[in-house]
């Protein structure tokens, strides 16, 4: 009995951290944006550190205030990234980038594998008017790469996915992320009827 | 004086000759490098085409490329801080790309369109990734250490909600398939008694997988993912509470509605007891107590187990063997 209670306490203290500069792009980010009702506190960027603009800290020139809320963090048992593209070399580089970023952020990677490519071929007439015997064939190759991550919290997943998606190469690679969440049922613990239920319409 | 002018003339002549020579020696394969040579000869002020009547300002000559001045231990993240196209004067690598000229090598990087066309990862070198992750680390949270195995996760968090996000370039960033939500839960983790479980299985039908004991509810009727998620939780709640209710018409459940075979009050039980009674007709007295006594016998119990197993699990080697052994024991063969 003590173990679940301790676990619950630990989970409730796992607060969700909101960044001051979290620009939620219109791209559909991870499913973790489910029941987020917290306000994002924008930090006032101090101007003093703008002198360091031209050095390496261009991407995050000012320290943002990190807000920690009491809302419990979502937990993802499995996050699976599927990257699609026409060019295999670009996908190789992207996979290197994604795996390195995951290792740096401490996310454990389950599996990185390559699915067999899809080739869509079609045959068209070569000429505008006649000449049915002369055709031209085109094909479109779609290469895939699948990266499976496991045991990520909602905050980490949001950070990682936003970083990954912002650095997606142009046009060539598309990404599909499957997120499996875990939750505890609360009002399904006990049936709401008495011992001898009569069939009246339930009102929940 | 004369020597000066003569030298000047000579130099002029040499320039002209060299200019012509360059134009002649350009190979049949045209690359983007061709244009730079042409433009350097034409920028003297006069417009070369008749339709363009304006005066093209003389372009200042480019200085030496930045690659000459780059130290070996420089900070590359400052050269390429963000995603930019390839700049040959900023990348100190002798890259060559393209189809090789006949008898030659692929063209150099200066003015090479092929290198500009492809997406480059020069802004995502390992050093840059490390820097980015260092900056992102404060926003990440740790996974609770007590939930290291899948079994513990399933025990404390039995409900799994799955959804998909799509990122692609197109006319719209939104994808309507992103609203679909799958809710998976193991029925063994819910508080259900026997009747409730059977009723739940009947209510749910095809959404239940017997091998893994997982109920999957897929919702896509609402336009937003949050709404679909709430609807799925509502469905689960309703199923749970409805399955605990016992309606009046549930008393009309017939043998055909039963999910699994039960041996009590079945033709098999009646047949076996009748047969045993007839076999022992010369033995003890008749009546209900004889039937009870027969029921309590070990062979009859074994026969009951074997028949139940055969009906529920289907025919297989082990079930048929067990049935054979039980029948032999009952008939004293």
């Amino acid at each position: 009995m003590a173990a679940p209670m301790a676990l619950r306490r630990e989970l409730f203290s796992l607060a969700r951290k909101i960044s001051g500069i979290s620009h939620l792009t219109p791209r559909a980010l991870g499913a973790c944006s489910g029941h987020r009702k917290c306000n994002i506190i924008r930090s006032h960027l101090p101007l003093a550190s703008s002198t360091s603009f031209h050095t390496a800290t261009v991407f995050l020139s000012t320290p943002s205030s990190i807000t920690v809320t009491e809302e419990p963090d979502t937990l993802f048992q499995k996050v699976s990234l599927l990257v699609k593209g026409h060019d295999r070399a670009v996908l190789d580089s992207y996979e290197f980038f994604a795996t390195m970023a995951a290792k740096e952020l401490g996310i454990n990677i389950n599996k990185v594998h390559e699915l067999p490519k899809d080739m869509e071929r079609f045959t068209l007439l070569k000429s505008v008017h006649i000449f049915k015997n002369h055709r031209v064939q085109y094909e479109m190759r779609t290469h895939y790469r699948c990266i499976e991550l496991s045991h990520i919290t909602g905050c980490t997943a949001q950070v990682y996915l936003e970083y990954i998606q912002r650095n997606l190469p142009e046009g060539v690679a598309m990404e599909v992320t499957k997120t499996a969440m875990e939750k505890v049922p609360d009002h399904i613990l006990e049936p709401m009827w008495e011992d001898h239920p009569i069939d009246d319409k339930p009102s929940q | 004086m004369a020597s000066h002018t003569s030298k000047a003339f000579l130099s002029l002549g040499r320039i002209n000759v060299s200019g012509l020579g360059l134009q002649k020696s350009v190979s049949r394969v045209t690359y983007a490098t061709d244009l730079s040579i042409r433009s350097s000869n034409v920028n003297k002020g006069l417009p070369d085409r008749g339709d363009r009547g304006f005066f093209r300002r003389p372009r200042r000559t480019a200085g030496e490329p930045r690659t000459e001045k780059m130290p070996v231990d420089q900070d590359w993240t400052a050269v390429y801080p963000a995603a930019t196209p390839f700049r040959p004067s900023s990348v100190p690598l002798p890259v060559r790309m393209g189809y090789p000229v006949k008898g030659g090598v692929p063209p150099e990087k200066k003015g090479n369109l092929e290198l500009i066309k492809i997406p480059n990862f020069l802004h995502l070198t390992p050093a840059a990734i490390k820097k980015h992750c260092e900056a992102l680390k404060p926003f990440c949270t740790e996974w609770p250490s007590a939930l290291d195995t899948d079994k513990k996760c399933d025990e404390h968090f039995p409900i799994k909600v799955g959804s998909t996000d799509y990122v692609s370039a197109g006319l719209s960033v939104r994808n309507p398939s992103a609203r679909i939500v799958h809710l998976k839960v193991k029925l063994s983790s819910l508080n259900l008694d026997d009747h409730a479980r059977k009723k739940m299985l009947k209510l749910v039908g095809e959404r239940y997988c017997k091998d893994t004991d997982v109920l999957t509810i897929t919702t896509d009727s609402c336009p937003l993912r949050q709404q679909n998620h709430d609807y799925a939780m509502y469905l689960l709640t309703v199923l749970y509470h409805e399955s605990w209710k016992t309606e009046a018409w549930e008393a009309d459940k017939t043998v055909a509605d039963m999910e699994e075979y039960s041996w009590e009050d079945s033709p098999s039980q009646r047949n076996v007891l009748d047969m045993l009674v007839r076999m022992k007709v010369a033995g003890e007295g008749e009546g209900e107590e004889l039937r009870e006594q027969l029921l309590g016998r070990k062979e009859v119990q074994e026969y009951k187990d074997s028949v139940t197993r055969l009906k529920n699990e289907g025919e297989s080697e082990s079930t048929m063997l067990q049935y054979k052994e039980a029948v032999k024991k009952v008939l004293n063969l």
Side-chain angles (χ1 to χ4, degrees):
Chain A
M1 266 311 279
M5 288 306 294
L7 194 63
R8 273 178 209 270
R9 245 181 277 127
E10 191 186 352
L11 283 162
F12 280 123
S13 68
L14 252 190
R16 183 181 156 260
K17 294 181 180 175
I18 314 170
S19 69
I21 318 180
S22 76
H23 304 289
L24 292 173
T25 63
R27 292 190 205 178
L29 292 173
C32 43
S33 58
H35 38 257
R36 295 280 129 96
K37 289 176 201 97
C38 304
N39 299 322
I40 297 170
I41 299 168
R42 299 224 174 263
S43 65
H44 297 292
L45 308 177
L47 295 172
S49 52
S50 61
T51 52
S52 60
F53 181 75
H54 281 292
T55 57
T57 53
V58 169
F59 31 86
L60 200 65
S61 56
T62 54
S64 57
S65 60
I66 302 170
T67 340
V68 178
T69 49
E70 285 308 311
E71 188 189 316
D73 211 354
T74 43
L75 299 165
F76 293 109
Q77 196 173 23
K78 190 168 79 101
V79 172
S80 143
L81 273 63
L82 178 70
V83 196
K84 301 192 222 179
H86 290 304
D87 195 350
R88 205 168 155 228
V90 173
L91 290 184
D92 284 338
S93 307
Y94 189 74
E95 172 203 324
F96 172 79
F97 157 66
T99 44
M100 187 164 178
K103 274 198 238 349
E104 293 290 319
L105 289 176
I107 301 172
N108 41 335
I109 302 169
N110 247 359
K111 208 160 78 145
V112 178
H113 60 287
E114 184 184 359
L115 296 154
K117 63 178 182 286
D118 276 344
M119 299 229 260
E120 191 187 324
R121 291 191 182 108
F122 42 95
T123 314
L124 304 170
L125 295 173
K126 199 189 264 191
S127 162
V128 163
H129 183 40
I130 39 176
F131 308 115
K132 189 70 173 239
N133 292 339
H134 301 84
R135 315 243 184 158
V136 72
Q137 288 186 315
Y138 295 104
E139 71 175 16
M140 293 198 292
R141 296 183 181 184
T142 310
H143 302 268
Y144 300 96
R145 214 47 78 96
C146 188
I147 303 171
E148 283 176 17
L149 318 163
S150 61
H151 292 330
I152 319 179
T153 55
C155 295
T156 314
Q158 198 176 22
V159 162
Y160 178 71
L161 286 175
E162 183 165 351
Y163 179 53
I164 289 286
Q165 285 167 3
R166 276 184 191 268
N167 287 311
L168 208 62
E170 42 276 351
V172 181
M174 282 188 287
E175 208 172 307
V176 173
T177 310
K178 269 208 188 317
T179 26
M181 235 168 71
E182 311 172 63
K183 273 203 313 190
V184 183
D186 42 359
H187 44 271
I188 316 181
L189 293 171
E190 291 292 325
M192 56 191 269
W193 318 118
E194 308 89 37
D195 280 359
H196 298 284
I198 26 175
D199 50 334
D200 48 351
K201 292 280 175 281
S203 60
Q204 290 178 343
Chain B
M1 283 272 290
S3 61
H4 272 297
T5 47
S6 65
K7 268 192 200 146
F9 276 119
L10 268 172
S11 57
L12 269 173
R14 206 170 293 136
I15 286 168
N16 281 336
V17 161
S18 65
L20 288 169
L22 271 172
Q23 280 176 1
K24 273 190 196 145
S25 69
V26 154
S27 63
R28 293 285 161 267
V29 181
T30 50
Y31 281 103
T33 47
D34 218 14
L35 296 169
S36 57
I37 299 164
R38 281 190 197 280
S39 62
S40 65
N41 285 336
V42 187
N43 65 348
K44 283 310 156 200
L46 294 171
D48 52 339
R49 286 171 210 173
D51 49 351
R52 246 203 274 170
F54 58 87
F55 174 78
R56 211 203 294 193
R57 205 167 295 179
R59 206 209 293 190
R60 57 192 172 146
T61 51
E64 61 164 4
R66 189 177 162 184
T67 51
E68 313 288 326
K69 293 176 271 190
M70 278 183 177
V72 178
D73 53 350
Q74 69 172 335
D75 184 21
W76 182 254
T77 54
V79 180
Y80 260 88
T84 21
F86 184 82
R87 283 190 298 261
S89 53
S90 298
V91 179
L93 299 169
V95 192
R96 290 186 168 265
M97 179 126 163
Y99 193 77
V101 173
K102 189 167 173 187
V105 290
E108 53 176 14
K109 62 177 178 176
K110 186 155 176 279
N112 196 332
L113 192 61
E114 299 293 321
L115 282 165
I116 301 175
K117 283 197 296 197
I118 53 167
N120 66 56
F121 283 80
L122 292 162
H123 58 290
L124 292 174
T125 49
I129 300 174
K130 284 200 175 68
K131 277 205 189 137
H132 295 160
C133 291
E134 282 307 308
L136 290 174
K137 260 232 182 341
F139 299 100
C140 300
T141 46
E142 285 239 335
W143 181 260
S145 46
L147 289 175
D148 40 358
T149 58
D150 273 345
K151 224 163 60 97
K152 283 195 202 153
C153 292
D154 291 341
E155 186 194 317
H156 296 289
F157 298 90
I159 294 188
K160 313 273 188 280
V161 176
S163 52
T164 320
D165 296 317
Y166 302 87
V167 179
S168 66
L171 293 170
S172 155
V173 288
R174 295 170 207 286
N175 191 318
S177 311
R179 71 183 198 281
I180 300 174
V181 168
H182 304 275
L183 191 140
K184 289 190 173 77
V185 67
K186 277 211 167 107
L187 284 191
S188 48
S189 53
L190 297 177
N191 180 17
L192 291 169
D193 70 349
D194 198 40
H195 160 262
R197 190 190 157 87
K198 287 195 176 131
K199 188 166 174 188
M200 170 85 95
L201 293 183
K202 278 207 187 292
L203 283 171
V204 138
E206 270 200 2
R207 296 173 186 87
Y208 176 72
C209 170
K210 237 194 294 194
D211 301 324
T212 54
D213 186 36
V214 164
L215 165 68
T216 310
I217 299 176
T218 306
T219 39
D220 64 345
S221 36
C222 307
L224 293 182
R225 185 191 290 156
Q226 180 61 37
Q227 296 172 343
N228 279 318
H229 174 256
D230 293 339
Y231 180 52
M233 290 304 289
Y234 164 74
L235 282 179
L236 184 66
T237 316
V238 164
L239 278 170
Y240 179 78
H241 291 295
E242 284 295 312
S243 61
W244 271 97
K245 268 195 335 185
T246 314
E247 309 270 344
W249 43 261
E250 283 184 39
D252 301 333
K253 194 175 180 190
T254 58
V255 176
D257 293 327
M258 297 284 180
E259 292 86 7
E260 51 182 28
Y261 178 79
S262 69
W263 194 71
E264 289 82 23
D265 298 327
S266 77
S268 173
Q269 182 192 19
R270 264 180 277 121
N271 290 341
V272 128
L273 290 177
D274 287 338
M275 193 178 62
L276 283 174
V277 161
R278 267 185 262 124
M279 272 165 57
K280 291 187 186 313
V281 77
E284 301 90 32
E286 297 181 15
E288 283 308 310
E289 56 269 20
L290 179 63
R291 289 183 176 263
E292 298 296 323
Q293 194 184 29
L294 282 174
L295 266 175
R297 304 245 325 236
K298 210 177 76 144
E299 298 95 29
V300 177
Q301 290 296 319
E302 273 186 30
Y303 181 74
K304 164 193 160 186
D305 289 335
S306 71
V307 168
T308 321
R309 201 163 154 233
L310 199 61
K311 291 270 186 176
N312 285 338
E313 290 175 26
E315 292 185 13
S316 74
E317 284 277 347
S318 52
T319 46
M320 293 305 279
L321 269 170
Q322 194 183 359
Y323 181 69
K324 180 176 99 173
E325 296 301 317
V327 164
K328 282 200 319 202
K329 284 206 189 113
V330 162
L331 298 176
N332 294 328
L333 292 170

